[in-house]
Amino acid sequence: MAKRSVGVVMNGVSGRMGYRQHLVRSILAIRDQGGVELPDGDVIVPEPILLGRSAAKLEPIAQRHGLTRIHTELAAALAEPDAEIYFDAQVTSARKAALLTAIGAGKHVYTEKPTAENLADAQELARAAAAAGVRNGVVMDKLFLPGLRKLERLISGGFFGRILSVRGEFGYWVFEGDWQSAQRPSWNYRAEDGGGITLDMYPHWSYVLEFLFGRVRSVYAQTATHIPTRVDEQGRPYAATADDACYGIFELDGGVVAQLNSSWAVRVFRDELVEFQVDGTEGSAVAGLQRCRVQHRSATPKPVWNPDEPTSERFRDQWQEVPDNTTPAAGFDNGFKVEWEQFFRHVYADEAFPYDLAAGARGVALAELAQESAQKGQRIEVSG
Ligand SMILES: NC(=O)c1ccc[n+]([C@@H]2O[C@H](COP(=O)([O-])OP(=O)(O)OC[C@H]3O[C@@H](n4cnc5c(N)ncnc54)[C@H](O)[C@@H]3O)[C@@H](O)[C@H]2O)c1
């Protein structure tokens, strides 16, 4: 068994996602557990190389975690002798140029979503990585959440029979910023700054639908800006120019119909901030981030429509919890970390990894097609 340490250049680690989910909960956690074991018994141990625009922001992070390598120039970070992987969690607008540089330097690349600000750029990235022959991956974290992993287990075990439809509800009330501060940044509500719930969430819906149920073949979407004026971090009112809700209907390969509501202007009467109901001929499931509940055909009640009578059954009580069935007792590991481990096995042991830049580009495409659908008031076919 050989142990090999591998430098991972991490760009954007002062940010929310880069620091917490990728540096601390993934790369440092993998290093601290002794690395990632490959099928032949060899072990890969990632060593972070921090990269950002400001050394002053990176130094306290490095100190806190006993790290020594900090760079403010991409080329210098990529030139570290052990740097084999480049990771990007910068703001989306800064991503394309950095990824192209890393690909040009022959590095394997892994990146946050959306992979680029528009489809042409996202496709250019996928083509560049393919032409250079480097391994590439995109964060598709929702697939690795406990609720969706249990849902995936039901699908692969044939629980549903023929899947008919998927209905998803995502969202919560984001305060306007006047009498209570907003819990999301103001740029999210300005189209000119890359904001909008469609651009934010459709890259996620693309991979959730594709890898659980089938590729998206058409989309019909209606967007809305329900709250036209908000108040920013400095207490100044501003016009919300981006959509804060998107109501979409999708046709998937194999004929499954999906409906997904995404809204920052909805109050939660659900158990989780996102929930998907899947109905199939043999059974149904409701999956959230953590939980997943099922109702089999054999245990399905037979309600009869009668508006004159009060509801006689407690429908929610008739569902059954899907157990975690995980070891160790700790339950499911952090989803970002699980995907990183899979990416390392892809790079160093040739394991399959479908969550690549081409799949990431399909996510950017879906966001653009949904916006086009909303503008034209038409259902749009997805090509390719
Ligand atoms: N997978 C998910 O669920 C998920 C969730 C939130 C955000 N994201 C994505 O992660 C990325 C980062 O989002 P975040 O919420 O961590 O943002 P953030 O604002 O907290 O962090 C952004 C990082 O980029 C750096 N940065 C800011 N402006 C820059 C510029 N002009 N040039 C270069 N670097 C710059 C910042 O210093 C920081 O390190 C975004 O692309 C976002 O779409 C993904």
Side-chain angles (χ1 to χ4, degrees):
M1 183 192 96
K3 227 176 198 191
R4 188 156 87 80
S5 101
V6 166
V8 180
V9 175
M10 302 189 75
N11 201 356
V13 283
S14 65
R16 208 164 51 105
M17 302 308 295
Y19 178 68
R20 179 93 204 123
Q21 296 304 335
H22 294 287
L23 179 64
V24 177
R25 301 274 282 141
S26 297
I27 294 299
L28 291 177
I30 293 170
R31 194 187 69 167
D32 293 348
Q33 78 186 11
V36 179
E37 191 174 339
L38 305 179
D40 65 1
D42 285 358
V43 174
I44 296 295
V45 184
E47 282 298 336
I49 300 166
L50 306 187
L51 171 64
R53 293 169 303 163
S54 152
K57 275 193 188 163
L58 295 177
E59 270 154 13
I61 295 175
Q63 264 179 11
R64 197 175 314 142
H65 298 287
L67 304 173
T68 50
R69 291 190 286 176
I70 291 180
H71 287 279
T72 53
E73 295 298 331
L74 176 59
L78 296 175
E80 288 264 3
D82 65 337
E84 296 184 16
I85 294 176
Y86 170 80
F87 169 67
D88 196 298
Q90 298 183 94
V91 287
T92 311
S93 55
R95 181 162 298 140
K96 179 189 165 194
L99 281 176
L100 285 177
T101 304
I103 291 168
K107 309 297 175 188
H108 306 297
V109 294
Y110 188 56
T111 179
E112 260 296 353
K113 55 59 60 181
T115 57
E117 288 182 294
N118 58 62
L119 179 57
D121 287 354
Q123 287 174 330
E124 185 183 336
L125 285 171
R127 278 195 302 268
V134 297
R135 298 289 161 118
N136 58 97
V138 179
V139 176
M140 302 198 180
D141 51 293
K142 305 290 177 276
L143 290 173
F144 298 86
L145 288 162
L148 294 203
R149 287 167 72 190
K150 285 181 268 193
L151 182 58
E152 197 281 324
R153 193 200 291 156
L154 293 172
I155 295 168
S156 60
F159 169 78
F160 293 103
R162 183 163 61 86
I163 295 179
L164 309 173
S165 63
V166 181
R167 213 176 66 238
E169 284 287 337
F170 165 84
Y172 46 91
W173 190 266
V174 178
F175 279 91
E176 298 89 327
D178 47 2
W179 66 289
Q180 291 192 52
S181 61
Q183 69 272 40
R184 294 187 65 94
S186 58
W187 71 262
N188 281 184
Y189 301 90
R190 290 191 293 265
E192 59 277 23
D193 293 335
I197 199 164
T198 309
L199 269 183
D200 192 56
M201 292 312 299
Y202 273 50
H204 287 299
W205 299 153
S206 172
Y207 68 74
V208 167
L209 292 173
E210 173 174 339
F211 291 113
L212 288 176
F213 306 105
R215 274 210 202 173
V216 179
R217 288 303 167 205
S218 77
V219 56
Y220 172 80
Q222 177 138 356
T223 57
T225 304
H226 289 302
I227 310 291
T229 308
R230 290 177 174 268
V231 174
D232 70 12
E233 290 80 359
Q234 282 74 43
R236 294 176 308 221
Y238 66 96
T241 47
D243 48 296
D244 56 14
C246 186
Y247 308 93
I249 302 179
F250 311 80
E251 275 175 297
L252 311 183
D253 260 353
V256 177
V257 179
Q259 300 173 69
L260 300 175
N261 289 334
S262 316
S263 178
W264 287 321
V266 67
R267 295 186 175 87
V268 179
F269 188 67
R270 277 172 255 133
D271 292 326
E272 305 202 50
L273 296 189
V274 65
E275 278 182 352
F276 301 93
Q277 173 160 341
V278 182
D279 289 298
T281 50
E282 296 296 311
S284 297
V286 175
L289 303 174
Q290 298 290 329
R291 299 180 64 184
C292 183
R293 279 161 286 184
V294 288
Q295 186 168 87
H296 189 253
R297 179 174 190 244
S298 58
T300 303
K302 194 191 259 184
V304 175
W305 177 258
N306 182 354
D308 296 329
E309 295 289 330
T311 304
S312 59
E313 297 182 76
R314 294 168 65 88
F315 293 113
R316 281 172 178 272
D317 295 348
Q318 296 165 345
W319 294 67
Q320 194 183 354
E321 190 82 36
V322 176
D324 285 359
N325 290 355
T326 53
T327 53
F332 287 99
D333 210 346
N334 177 285
F336 290 88
K337 173 169 173 263
V338 173
E339 194 184 349
W340 265 106
E341 290 173 332
Q342 215 166 307
F343 183 66
F344 284 124
R345 288 194 298 272
H346 172 59
V347 173
Y348 296 106
D350 218 16
E351 198 171 275
F353 192 83
Y355 320 116
D356 58 9
L357 284 169
R362 290 195 288 277
V364 177
L366 189 62
E368 286 193 357
L369 294 175
Q371 288 172 323
E372 184 188 338
S373 165
Q375 255 164 25
K376 293 182 173 165
Q378 282 174 9
R379 171 177 166 279
I380 309 278
E381 304 276 342
V382 178
S383 59

